[in-house]
Structures are given as structure tokens and as C-alpha cells.
Amino acid sequence: DPTVKLCILSSSLEQDWRDLYSTAFPSSERAPESKLQNHINTGKLLYHKSTGKSGELLAFSMVSLAADFSLLAYIAVDPKHR
């Protein structure tokens, strides 16, 4: 479907991301949003999202970048779209 967009590199954490992040991970496993946003802004973290026909967030991933490796830090799919 041409209206579904997969793995879009993004730089801002919107409310739909906050909602999925808070329901997909227990608070003990969540980094503070301000820390994540700072890492995105400084290029230490890549945030990719996939959106549906209406622009709704279907899934996201966050990859932490280091000098010699990358680490998948978070990945989540909206339960309605699994």
C-alpha cells in the first residue's frame, strides 16, 4: 500500500510515540524521554517509525550508535497492528 510508510527516519518524539513507548515498556526499562530526545538531536540515537494510511504510528525502533557497533535499544509495534 503506497500510503503506508516504513522505517521513516524521524527527529521528534510525538504524542503517539509517547503513548506506545509507555505501554510497550515497563517504567523500569524506559529511559527518560528528554534523554532519548537529546541523543536523537546529537546523532547518538536513530529513531525510525512506520506509519499507516492516516499517519498513525504503527511501530518504531531506536538504535543506539557507538564508535564500533550499533545496538537496537527499543522496538515496539502498536498492539492493534500486530
Side-chain angles (χ1 to χ4, degrees), residues 21-73:
Y21 183 60
S22 66
T23 58
F25 303 98
S27 60
S28 62
E29 295 180 11
R30 292 192 310 258
E33 293 175 25
S34 59
K35 182 178 180 179
L36 294 174
Q37 186 65 65
N38 183 54
H39 286 323
I40 291 168
N41 294 345
T42 58
K44 295 178 183 176
L45 188 70
L46 297 178
Y47 164 48
H48 291 92
K49 63 183 181 178
S50 295
T51 58
K53 295 177 185 179
S54 302
E56 72 278 15
L57 182 66
L58 304 176
F60 76 85
S61 66
M62 293 185 157
V63 176
S64 179
L65 303 175
D68 56 350
F69 70 94
S70 299
L71 173 70
L72 178 60

